[in-house]
Structures are given as structure tokens and as C-alpha cells.
Amino acid sequence: MQLNMKLAVIAAAVALAACGKKEEAAPAAAPAAAPAAAEAQVIKIGHVGPTSGAIAHLGKDNENGAKMAVEELNAAGLTINGAPAKFELLAEDDAADPKQGTAAAQKLVDAKVSGVIGHLNSGTTIPASQIYNDAGIPQISPSATNPKYTRQGYAGVFRMVADDVHLGGTLGKYAVETLKAKNVAVIDDRTAYGQGVADEFEKGVAAAGGTVVGREFTNDKATDFNAILTTLKAKKPDVVFFGGMDAVAGPMLKQMKQLGINAKFMGGDGICSSELPKLAGDGMADDQVYCAEAGGVEGEQKEGMDKFRADFKAKFGSDVQVYAPYVYDAVKVMANAMVTANSSDPAKYLPALKATTYKGVTGNIAFDEKGDIKNGALTLMTYKAGARTTLAVIR
């Protein structure tokens, strides 16, 4: 009740009393209204991957990992700086194309996202990283393995998996020491990822005492490999390594069989998908293909990964291809840094992101000074009866 109203009531009561009249007691004041609940703050997180084109199955797999994490974060009822946090996923398609990737990156910057998970390929991740860096937006790639990504001096870039130096080198050593290959042929798709992992594989072969008898290249949209495979067949390789993705590796395996090339076939994480047997058809025999996923869990951590895979299949009706768990963990790691810093402002939560120690479904997550995952694992795999089989987890 305002002060002048109170004075008017008192004056009236005094006048009535003077006239000898009785006045009924004024009703009790209504209780003060409860303070309004704090309005939820919308925190935008971007995700970019190839959800169209030849490897759309891998991009959609990653995007679904992000969706799953965001839904769980919102169900958890987190608060940041005293207000409820509502996370919103802004998903973009880069079609595994560098130009489309930079356009997607700029779109997310313009939308004022607080952070980005992506991209999937090194060839899109690296050029996009400059755009995010210039805007001061942290970026966590779940799967880009080219070493250059974290060696550009950018403060806000992070990688969830081991890089090509570790991956390619380990596979090169495995080809010579375990598969007993003496002569090795190498093919790459001329992308940042494919050429990078092939270069490191070749170094690993040489360091282990093997011989690279031929190096050929194709592109990431090719379907006819007869010319380069015929050239390599004449050199009688024990192993053919392909630096590229599963959409190209599948048809390549078919054509190797047609040409009578009986070599083992190796590749990095790009071919190491659950889709490869479908893409290769009858071109893939048991124990013919060896690959490495740049990540992996073992021991008690395997239980958490197994649960994630089961929950993912129940939710989306499909098996995890490769990197959905790493996207899922990347989203959770970014949100955890915001909660720790009590802010979704990139400049304020970035120090907390750098200092991350987080137990995720992909294992224990912490980053070194460049933004690379500490103690990154590799999972060596082969295929039997059309399904991936784990051979070993190596750190």
C-alpha cells in the first residue's frame, strides 16, 4: 500500500472515532507474492558433420550422438549462474566438403553458438577451425585425426581421439610385425585425412623394416580403381593400405577381388565402420581387413561403452558406426566446463575446458596443452562374418 493511501485511511479512522462511530477492522494485507522463477537461459551448441553425400551414414551417426547428449543435459536440470540451462543443438551439414564446411562454420558463428562439436573430417575441421578461432568459439572435434588441427596455435581447439601420427604409425608397425608383410602398397584419397594417415602409415612401415612397393592416389568420390589396382597388382603386395573413408574402401575391395589381388587390406578409422561389410559386399573375406579406430576402452570402462551402444540402438534403431560416443562425450565435456565456470560465455568457460578431467563413456578425458586427448587409445579391429571384431586396445 502506498504511503499517501495509508495516511488517508488513518485520517478517516480518526474522524469516525471523533463522531463516536465504529469502523470495522481493515482486512489483513495479502501475503507478498513469491519471487518469479529465474528464466531459463538458452545455450546454443553447434554440431557439424556430413549428413549428405557418400559418408552421410557417418555424419548422421555423429549428429545422433550429439542429440542424445543434449536431451540428457536438458533432462538433468542443470543451472548456470543461478538460472536453469536449456541446451539447444544447431546441426549443420558440411557434406565432407571444405567449402561447405567453412560456410557452415560461419553460419554457426552468426547464430552466436557458445561452442561447436565437429567437424568429422580433417579436411573440413581444419579450415573451419580458423573461423571459430577468429570468433573466440571453442571447438571440439570428435574424429579429426590430422595432426595439423591442433598445431595451428589456436587456443580453443580440442580433439577427442589420438591423431594420425599414433594411428598411422601403429598400423604400419602392425602390418610388418604382426601381419608379416614384406611388400606394402599404399593408396590415398588426397584429402587432409586420407593423405595424412597414409603418410604416417608409410613411415611406420619403413621404421619396422618393411618396403613400400607402390604409392597411388584416387579421390574421395571415385568408384573406378582398376587402373591403380592393376598397377599395384604387378608389384605383388602383401598388404594394400587405403587412406580414406568406407564409401570408397567398399568398392575398392570389390575391385581387388575381381582383379585377383589376394592381399590384406588395411585402413584407418575412416574405413573402420559397421557399414563397411555392406559397402564391400562379397569383396571382403574374413580376416582380410584390418583397421584402427582412434579411440577405445577396456576393462571396467567397457561396461559404460556397452551401455551407451545399447541405449543408442534402442533410441535410433541403428548400431553405432564409429564416433557417436565421442560426439556424445564432447557435448558433455563442453557443458561440464560451462557448469564449472558458471558461465556459457566462451571466454569464461574456456579455461575450465582446458583443465577438463571427465569420466565419459569413451574413457577418462583430459587435454594436453595443444588440445589433444591425453593418453589416447587405438582399437585394432578386423572383420569376421560381416562384423567388427576387436583385436587389441593400444595406448
Side-chain angles (χ1 to χ4, degrees), residues 247-272:
V248 173
M252 190 178 290
L253 277 161
K254 287 182 181 179
Q255 289 171 39
M256 282 177 60
K257 182 178 180 180
Q258 291 165 1
L259 290 169
I261 300 173
N262 297 317
K264 301 289 188 187
F265 189 83
M266 297 186 75
D269 50 324
I271 76 163
C272 216

Side-chain angles (χ1 to χ4, degrees), residues 7-159:
L7 292 173
V9 171
I10 292 169
V14 170
L16 286 171
C19 295
K21 294 181 180 179
K22 292 183 180 177
E23 175 73 11
E24 292 182 5
E39 187 177 346
Q41 56 184 313
V42 176
I43 300 171
K44 298 175 183 178
I45 293 180
H47 174 268
V48 192
T51 51
S52 65
I55 57 170
H57 56 288
L58 300 179
K60 197 64 185 173
D61 185 63
N62 279 17
E63 187 176 301
N64 283 341
K67 286 180 179 177
M68 197 165 164
V70 166
E71 287 179 12
E72 290 181 12
L73 288 170
N74 286 333
L78 301 176
T79 60
I80 295 176
N81 197 26
K86 180 186 177 184
F87 292 88
E88 180 183 341
L89 184 69
L90 273 60
E92 294 292 334
D93 173 27
D94 65 16
D97 177 75
K99 289 182 180 178
Q100 194 165 325
T102 53
Q106 190 59 55
K107 188 174 178 181
L108 291 177
V109 169
D110 293 343
K112 298 188 179 347
V113 295
S114 292
V116 174
I117 311 301
H119 301 203
L120 187 153
N121 310 76
S122 294
T124 52
T125 300
I126 293 169
S129 66
Q130 181 177 349
I131 293 171
Y132 301 131
N133 178 71
D134 291 348
I137 296 173
Q139 174 193 13
I140 307 176
S141 174
S143 49
T145 53
N146 189 299
K148 181 182 175 182
Y149 170 54
T150 53
R151 297 182 186 183
Q152 302 173 94
Y154 296 162
V157 298
F158 302 88
R159 189 197 320 263

